[in-house]
Structures are given as structure tokens and as C-alpha cells.
Amino acid sequence: MKIVVCVSHVPDTASKINISSDRKNIDPSGITFVVNPYDEFAIEEALKVKENLGGEVVAVSVGKENHKESLRKALAMGVDEAVLLKTDSELDSMSTAHVLADEVKNLGAEIVFMGKQSVDYDNSITGQLTAAILGYNSISVVVELNINENKISAEREIEGGREVVESSLPIVITAQKGLNNPRFPTMKGIMTAKRKIIEEKSIELGESSTKVLGMKKPPAKQPGKIIGEDTSAVPELVRLLKDEAKVI
Amino acid sequence: MINKILVFVEQRNGQIKKSSLETVSTAKKVAQELNAACEAVIIGDTIENIDVIGEYGIQNVTHIKNPDLYNYTTSGYSKILSDHIVECGADTMFFANTAMGKDLSPFLAVSLDASITVDCTELNIVDGDIIATRPVYAGKALIDVQLSGNKKILTLRPNVFPAVSNSDTKADVTVKQVDGVNLDNKVVEIKKSSDKLDVAEADIIVSGGRGLKGPENFAMIEELAELLGAATGASRAAVDAGWRPHSDQVGQTGKTVSPNLYIAVGISGAIQHIAGMSSSKYIVAINKDKDAPIFQIADYGIADDAFEIVPALIEELKKT
Ligand SMILES: Cc1cc2nc3c(=O)[nH]c(=O)nc-3n(C[C@H](O)[C@H](O)[C@H](O)COP(=O)(O)OP(=O)(O)OC[C@H]3O[C@@H](n4cnc5c(N)ncnc54)[C@H](O)[C@@H]3O)c2cc1C
Ligand SMILES: Nc1ncnc2c1ncn2[C@@H]1O[C@H](COP(=O)(O)O)[C@@H](O)[C@H]1O
């Protein structure tokens, strides 16, 4: 079975974000880019499925040359092949999903893993869009997954609990934290990954359907206030919450 | 040109979600400014009090009904909703950005060939079009987005837009029975994590971190939360230590929350934690280190031992 895992390349979550001079994007200088944290769960799950059912795992990323770093990490974790669908343009989710869907079709994959969310634009829709374009089934925000022949049973996180969902292949699954514990690349994995060739393809782009008019910093919060350093401050806290903030 | 807005109203267990009423009120306001029509649709089996949607601003409501629609199903809901949108002629759709809204809205974007933007926290009308503002990079930046094309989909972050009930008007509900629900994707069971409120839906959240030293000490966090009618949350350190479930995690790789009041106890205020809660309306921090970064964003801080302050706070609240 062919398994595709989609990997995005995002600023480390510890990054301070500054706005670029055109006020439409972030300023990438000084930022370390890493594999999107949720995609590590997706990679791990793809590898587990391969170990249990056999097959081949292909990691796919849409973006700039530097996305190869994240693809390299996926290879080091154990995926068999990596493909960079190369573009220097900023793509919105819909365009990204079309590019990914084309590649999934091209590879003939029946199961696609993605992260539930990319921690850059936090869209949380690329998996579902890709499934819709392909006409595949889809289960998002998955914390538990069982595949039995062509049947899928999964648990997805919802407010205050989980839905137990049954579906079937072909399918797109988006991974939530809790699904598994992503493995660390081994020394051998890292060495093998260095030798592997990442396939590069250029892509055809349609018009983006969303337009970012501008990017800005959120309004600064008032500097904090310490109202006391012992229990004598507690009645004052309650009074402030009641009378000033009016939140209790 | 926006002529007709359709709001997807979400139900679970036959009950309308509060976040959907926020979406109803917001859509109504936008529709008025644009001089556009506004309708709502709700999918389910038997649903209580559908007509309250009228009080929140929308008169014309369609209830699409079938026993197989009691629980959410991606395949079933997306097909039915897509058909309904085409039939009612709406060009713009609003959803709440909930687990269901996030799962469902992208399917409509594809089947209707609509543009989509999610998790909006502000909507402005400029030259007859909606300009949406939404957080990116976990709220470290905001973008203004314009959607192109003839069909548009927006999802609104819960707890940000007000649900305004300003009339006694009951909605006119049209029931549309459907059959042959597509169950390629079927929810066979819902496991409740507990009866407690989810952080993503709460007006008040009390969160604990590594400073609480162990899982047993979350009892006082729960007691405080209960007194306030709050949900309990946690930092990643508390989740990774196995003290609390992942569904409680607040932050960049947990839940993004914007309650009226967020109380952080024994949480240092790492950038990833702050990213998930800094848009809370009021923040209280209790931390014994007065240099902890959490105090930089706290409206009210108490720099002392949580094991002294939290019990005192519980006592004080019980008094009043
Ligand atoms: C990729 C990535 C993603 C992450 N995502 C998240 C996320 O989503 N959410 C998140 O929370 N973190 C996240 N983190 C982790 C984050 O960097 C911090 O490690 C974490 O938030 C720390 O949790 P904490 O504040 O509970 O613990 P600590 O930083 O250890 O702070 C404990 C605090 O408790 C105080 N304290 C100790 N004893 C007491 C006492 N008796 N009374 C009062 N105060 C006391 C201390 O002064 C200290 O400030 C992420 C990290 C990475 C790398
Ligand atoms: N540029 C990209 N290349 C490959 N996969 C992507 C890309 N962007 C998003 N994805 C996948 O889609 C998931 C959800 O992303 P998003 O909808 O942007 O939050 C990510 O976790 C990735 O698995």
C-alpha cells in the first residue's frame, strides 16, 4: 500500500514573530524552521501503518527549497521517499490542497496522513480540503486509529470528548497530539537520509482564492500588575474581579 | 456582491451550541450592513428550541431532519448541506470554528467552489465586501483577508463575537425530511471525557502548571473552577507529566482560548502557553516567582505560593 504523509515547514513555536516590511508576511530573519509538530505524529503513524501492513511511505511538501530540511527529517525518521513540490509563492490552503491532491493521485496512495493543523497559519483545513478534492473519506483531529483490511476505526477529539468514527479506504487522516509518540531519528536513519535524493517537481498554480491584505501585530496588552505577594491580596483580587473586571 | 448569508447552526445531543448563536447574531449584523438576506440551517434529528434562533436575529430557519443525522457525520452532513446551499441560493456561509465547523466547512468549500477563511475574530465591511481579521502564528500576528469569487465561507472563533438576544421573536422553522444519508463516515459512539466543561467553550478557565508539583494538587484547581463555574486547563508541562489529559492543554500545540477570565496557577508563561491564552479578556496569575513572564500579561497577579493563595481564594469566594 502506498502511504503519503504531508509535511509543512514552520517557524519553531518558540519564535518571536516580526512583520516583514511589506506588512503582508512575517520577517523570516532569525527564525528557525522545523517540521510542523503535528506532522511528526502524522509521520509516526504512517510508519506504524507501513510496519503493520507493509507498503511504502512517501513524504510530500509544498513550498520553497528550505522545505527539504523537513523532508530530510521525515526521511531520517524512516519514510522511504520524499517529494518537494516546489514553489516560491505563498499558497493558501485551497491551492496547497489542490497541489497535494494531484500528487496523491499521481502516487496512487490510498491513505494520506497530515497534521491536524500547521502552526503557521493555523488553518486546520488542508486535510479535509484534500480529501474533498480527491473524493476520499476523511477523519480529522485523530487521537486513535485502527486499520483492519479496508475498514478504518478512529477516535477524533471534539469539545469535551471523542467521536468514535468508522469509515473506509481511501482516506485522509489528520493527526492530533496523543495519537502516538513520534520516534527520534537514529544515527543510521540520519546517515541514510543524507544520501537519499529528494525528488523535486515544479507545480502549476491557479489563482489564489484568498488575498492577504495585510499583517499586523495584535494590540499590545497593558503591562501586567502584581497586586500583592501574600494571602492578604486575596480579598482585593476578588473585589477587582467583581467590581472592576466584572467577570465573576 | 453578497446577497444571501446562510448560517450553519450546530447541535449536539439535540441542543443548539452557544457558539452558533454568536454566529447567528454576527451574520445578522453583517447582513444588515450589506443589505443582504440571512437564513439559518440546522441538521439533526429532534432538536430542542430551534425557534430561539429568531431571538438572536434570524427569522428563517430550515431544520434538515433524519434519525441518522443525530450525530455528526462528515460525509452525510457535507452532502446534505451542499445540496441545501445550492437550493436556497446563498452565496456566503458562516460557521462557528468548532470541531464540527472546522471539519465540515472545507468540504463545502470544495463542493461549491467557494473561497474559505477560518477562525475569524473580527469582521469589517469595506466597499460592500467582508474583510476578515484572524490570528495566525497562534495569535502572535493578525492578518486581514479578503475572499474572492462568487461564493465565500467564513468560520468564526467561539467566545469572541457576542450572541445578542434582543427580541422575543421566534424563528419560523421549516422542517425538511431527508433520506438516504451518506454514512461513508459514521460516528458510532461519543465518549465523553467527563461531564466537565471543555476549555474551548468556557467563559472562565482555571489552569494549573508544573508549579502544582503533582496530579493530586489539581484537586484545589478543580474546586476553584467549580466555585467559579469554570473549566480546568493545564500547561503542556502538566500534560506531558501525565497529570492532566491532553484535551486540557492550552497553548500553541493545545487549545487556543479566549475566555472572559483566565487564571494561571503555577504556570511560568512560556511563549507557547501565552500564544494560546493571551487573548483572554482578563488574566490572573498566581506564581511564587515574581519575575515569571506570566506576570507581564496578567491583569492581576499575586506573587506567592499557590498552596497558600488558592485555598485562601476558595475561602474568600465561599464567603461572598
Ligand atoms: C513545540 C513546542 C510546543 C509547545 N506547546 C505548548 C503548549 O501548547 N502549551 C504549553 O503550555 N506549553 C507548550 N510548550 C512548552 C513550553 O515551552 C513550557 O515548557 C511549558 O509551558 C511550561 O509549563 P509550566 O509553566 O507549567 O512549567 P514551568 O515553566 O516549569 O513553570 C512552573 C512555574 O510554577 C511556579 N511555581 C513553582 N512552585 C510554585 C508554587 N508552589 N506556587 C506557585 N507557583 C509555583 C514556578 O515559579 C514556575 O514559574 C511547547 C514547547 C514546544 C517545544
Ligand atoms: N505546504 C504544505 N506542504 C505539505 N503539507 C502541508 C502544507 N501545508 C499544510 N500541509 C498539511 O496540512 C496540515 C494542516 O495544515 P493547515 O490546514 O495549514 O493547518 C499540515 O499539518 C500538513 O500535514
Side-chain angles (χ1 to χ4, degrees), chain A residues 11-17 19 24-26 37-38 92-94 98 116-117 119-125 127-133 136-140 143-144 155-168 171 176-178 208-219 221-235 237-238 240-242 244-248, chain B residues 10 12 17 72 74 98-100 102-103 105-107 109-110 114-119 131 133-148 183-194 196 198 200-201 204 228 236 239-240 246-247 249 252-255 260-261 263 271-272 278 280-284 290 295-304 308-309 312-313 316-317 320:
Chain A
D12 186 322
T13 56
S15 309
K16 288 228 158 53
I17 297 294
I19 313 287
K24 289 201 172 154
N25 213 321
I26 61 163
Y38 294 106
D92 66 5
S93 302
M94 187 63 93
H98 275 286
K116 71 130 190 175
Q117 174 178 356
V119 304
D120 43 15
Y121 273 52
D122 300 322
N123 285 315
S124 316
I125 55 174
Q128 298 89 297
L129 289 171
T130 307
I133 294 164
Y136 280 20
N137 288 319
S138 157
I139 309 178
S140 61
V143 287
E144 201 174 310
E155 293 188 11
R156 70 181 291 263
E157 203 173 87
I158 60 168
E159 293 84 3
R162 292 171 173 197
E163 284 175 344
V164 183
V165 187
E166 286 178 359
S167 194
S168 57
I171 198 163
Q176 163 70 315
K177 181 176 174 182
S208 181
S209 60
T210 55
K211 190 165 164 213
V212 176
L213 303 175
M215 184 183 276
K216 60 196 174 208
K217 293 282 247 184
K221 254 206 127 59
Q222 292 291 317
K225 190 165 77 190
I226 291 181
I227 60 168
E229 301 194 12
D230 56 41
T231 49
S232 68
V234 169
L237 173 64
V238 172
L240 287 166
L241 292 175
K242 280 203 167 123
E244 191 179 89
K246 300 190 168 59
V247 286
I248 62 170
Chain B
E10 176 176 337
R12 286 214 183 253
K17 303 285 275 191
Y72 174 62
T74 308
T98 55
M100 194 187 292
K102 277 189 259 200
D103 190 69
S105 55
F107 283 89
V110 171
S115 52
I116 178 167
T117 193
V118 297
D119 204 22
I131 306 298
T133 301
R134 54 166 304 233
V136 290
Y137 298 93
K140 293 174 199 169
L142 300 171
I143 53 172
D144 293 327
V145 185
Q146 185 167 28
L147 294 168
S148 55
L183 293 175
D184 284 346
N185 181 301
K186 184 175 181 193
V187 172
V188 291
E189 186 190 345
I190 295 191
K191 293 186 177 169
K192 279 185 114 185
S193 43
S194 60
K196 73 185 188 80
D198 194 86
E201 300 190 301
I204 302 180
L228 294 168
R236 172 163 156 185
V239 170
D240 283 356
H246 175 254
S247 50
Q249 184 177 317
Q252 189 156 7
T253 53
K255 289 185 175 136
N260 291 329
L261 173 61
I263 304 182
I271 188 166
Q272 297 94 345
S278 61
S280 305
K281 274 142 227 139
Y282 283 88
I283 297 170
V284 168
K290 66 177 188 317
F295 286 123
Q296 286 165 22
I297 59 151
D299 299 282
Y300 310 121
I302 299 185
D304 192 16
E308 301 283 333
I309 301 299
L313 182 54
E316 185 68 23
L317 287 167
T320 49

